[in-house]
Amino acid sequence: MFQRFGHLVAPYVVRFVNWVLQLLGLNIQTGDTFYNAVHFFIYDSIKIIFLLSFMIFVITYIRSYFPPEKVKALLAKFRGIWAYVVASVLGVVSPFCSCSTVPIFIGFVEGGIPLGVTFTFLVTSPIVNEIALGYLFVTFGPKIAILYTLAGMTIGIVTGLLIEKFNLHHLVEEYVYKMKMGEMEAEVMTRKQRLIYAKDSVVDIVKDIWIYVVIGIGIGALIHGWAPEDLLTKYAGPNNPLAVFVGVLFGIPLYANAVGTIPIAEALISKGVGVGTALAFMMSVVALSLPSIILLKKVIKPKLIAIFVGITGAGIVLVGFLFNWIL
Amino acid sequence: MMMEIKILGSGCKNCTTLTKVVEEVLGELNMEATVEKVTDFQDILGYGVMKTPGLVVNGTVKFAGRIPSKDEVKKVLEG
């Protein structure tokens, strides 16, 4: 559907881009490197922001059915492996901003949700967030979007299972277990309230992320125009396993919104970088970002943070290998 | 008894917006109330709220996890 929609608006966007270029007094030929870069930049910015808005609207509407209180109640009903699977599914439909990481962590652990299940939720949620997913779908098509989602969920489930298996409860700060959480009745929203909530979220999120999108697409455009294809293919192509590793390491200190990294990943792939290498880099930026690690320090001991980063990082590297191999 | 309003949130953008909405509504209704910001997440969790912002009126959580519209806040404050 998105593809078809893209084709429908494409001619208008192209005409608009040409018009802007003429206004700027730029007389450039189709096929020129500079033309390609500028064209990619403007065309993509408009297309992506438009499609993202639509995507955010639909997903926040669904999301309004899954506030954290409800997620917690749902999770408490499942036992064994199913609890992990459900936690990862809920992680996909119930994203939260990094400022809620700590309250959600405490709320879950205090409410008797196993530590591993809590981690599954906290790991899956940022990797497979709705904006990134919609964007991946538009940029790379359904196959990669679905594979990415499954990979993100698997990484979350495995991280959670291992943390639970190692029995690391003593690495959670003690006060977390002592906290008393209040009871609150989750509000039941009407359809109209949900629609307004979805609309407000579109405005809010687009206001927050457009700059990342534009910067990301700008870097993407530069890569499209000037990155040396033969070098990238040689050193970061799908046949170089080390590149996946380097990509993940590079991702950790980078703090960018997921949507900013997608156009960069797309441009890198078009220049010969392996799909798995580029996606692993993306996952690392969102799942292992320094700010969320610093937030987690409030509730868990450094050793557990190291274990979490180690397991999740290894999972991302493996997924990178897998994607390079099968795609 | 004077109405007690608490705004739950660790200082993110949404909490500031909610504070503004509440103050505007209070002004429009010409009501007086004590408005207090609760920023400590232990206290916020004490109300059972995991996703901010939250609005508490006289000790009861009315909204959590989203910014209610002015009309919604009005309804709650008029009780």
Side-chain angles (χ1 to χ4, degrees):
Chain A
M1 186 184 104
F2 290 109
Q3 299 287 352
R4 211 183 302 155
F5 181 75
H7 289 312
L8 203 73
V9 292
Y12 297 99
V13 177
V14 170
R15 225 179 287 167
F16 174 75
V17 171
N18 289 339
W19 177 73
V20 171
L21 291 179
Q22 263 173 17
L23 270 190
L24 294 170
L26 293 170
N27 183 20
I28 32 187
Q29 302 293 311
T30 319
D32 187 87
T33 307
F34 183 72
Y35 174 90
N36 283 343
V38 174
H39 184 272
F40 171 83
F41 178 69
I42 303 178
Y43 175 74
D44 256 45
S45 303
I46 297 172
K47 183 183 84 179
I48 294 301
I49 292 192
F50 210 75
L51 291 169
L52 272 182
S53 305
F54 178 74
M55 204 67 202
I56 295 167
F57 186 85
V58 173
I59 297 175
T60 27
Y61 184 80
I62 301 173
R63 186 217 293 200
S64 71
Y65 287 92
F66 297 96
E69 295 76 25
K70 214 166 169 183
V71 169
K72 188 175 136 187
L74 258 169
L75 278 180
K77 286 188 196 141
F78 289 90
R79 289 281 165 273
I81 180 81
W82 284 109
Y84 295 88
V85 176
V86 174
S88 74
V89 174
L90 290 171
V92 176
V93 296
S94 173
F96 53 89
C97 83
S98 57
C99 55
S100 294
T101 306
V102 168
I104 288 179
F105 181 88
I106 298 178
F108 279 23
V109 171
E110 189 268 354
I113 307 290
L115 188 61
V117 177
T118 305
F119 263 101
T120 298
F121 181 76
L122 289 178
V123 170
T124 316
S125 193
I127 297 186
V128 196
N129 81 46
E130 84 269 31
I131 307 168
L133 196 57
Y135 201 162
L136 273 177
F137 195 92
V138 175
T139 320
F140 296 110
K143 190 173 142 201
I144 290 191
I146 291 169
L147 276 174
Y148 180 88
T149 308
L150 292 177
M153 288 169 65
T154 311
I155 292 173
I157 293 172
V158 171
T159 303
L161 279 171
L162 286 176
I163 285 182
E164 191 63 28
K165 190 157 177 56
F166 294 155
N167 204 7
L168 301 169
H169 298 117
H170 58 284
L171 294 179
V172 174
E173 294 294 347
E174 260 162 51
Y175 78 91
V176 172
Y177 293 110
K178 289 189 188 135
M179 283 204 42
K180 273 277 150 281
M181 197 170 148
E183 286 290 323
M184 183 195 86
E185 226 167 284
E187 153 196 39
V188 181
M189 289 162 85
T190 63
R191 173 175 296 170
K192 198 178 152 210
Q193 279 174 321
R194 290 182 204 280
L195 288 172
I196 293 173
Y197 172 66
K199 187 204 75 191
D200 288 349
S201 301
V202 171
V203 176
D204 264 10
I205 297 176
V206 171
K207 242 198 263 168
D208 274 355
I209 64 172
W210 73 270
I211 186 74
Y212 291 103
V213 175
V214 171
I215 293 173
I217 294 173
I219 298 175
L222 291 178
I223 296 173
H224 262 287
W226 290 281
E229 193 164 344
D230 39 340
L231 273 180
L232 280 175
T233 313
K234 192 171 161 204
Y235 291 107
N239 296 324
N240 185 355
L242 196 67
V244 178
F245 215 71
V246 175
V248 171
L249 283 182
F250 260 111
I252 297 178
L254 275 187
Y255 176 62
N257 200 293
V259 295
T261 58
I262 296 175
I264 300 173
E266 197 258 319
L268 285 173
I269 291 168
S270 80
K271 283 287 182 177
V273 172
V275 177
T277 311
L279 290 182
F281 167 71
M282 240 187 82
M283 285 184 169
S284 163
V285 172
V286 291
L288 300 175
S289 79
L290 221 48
S292 58
I293 291 174
I294 291 167
L295 278 171
L296 275 176
K297 253 190 78 186
K298 278 189 186 167
V299 280
I300 56 182
K301 299 194 173 130
K303 196 173 162 195
L304 183 50
I305 293 184
I307 293 170
F308 148 69
V309 171
I311 298 174
T312 307
I316 295 173
V317 170
L318 287 179
V319 165
F321 289 162
L322 184 73
F323 278 17
N324 275 344
W325 183 55
I326 59 173
L327 288 171
Chain B
M1 196 187 85
M2 179 115 94
M3 188 183 274
E4 267 182 18
I5 297 175
K6 285 189 178 136
I7 295 174
L8 314 181
S10 49
C12 51
K13 204 184 73 208
N14 289 338
C15 322
T16 333
T17 316
L18 179 61
T19 314
K20 233 168 56 198
V21 171
V22 168
E23 277 165 0
E24 276 174 28
V25 171
L26 282 173
E28 280 173 29
L29 293 175
N30 212 0
M31 271 168 100
E32 277 200 50
T34 56
V35 180
E36 189 194 334
K37 279 188 196 180
V38 179
T39 52
D40 187 75
F41 65 87
Q42 307 206 15
D43 297 333
I44 296 176
L45 281 162
Y47 284 100
V49 171
M50 283 187 270
K51 209 169 155 203
T52 54
L55 180 66
V56 177
V57 179
N58 290 338
T60 326
V61 178
K62 297 293 184 187
F63 300 102
R66 68 187 182 100
I67 301 172
S69 71
K70 262 169 106 170
D71 284 338
E72 286 172 311
V73 174
K74 230 178 228 171
K75 251 185 219 155
V76 166
L77 293 189
E78 282 174 330

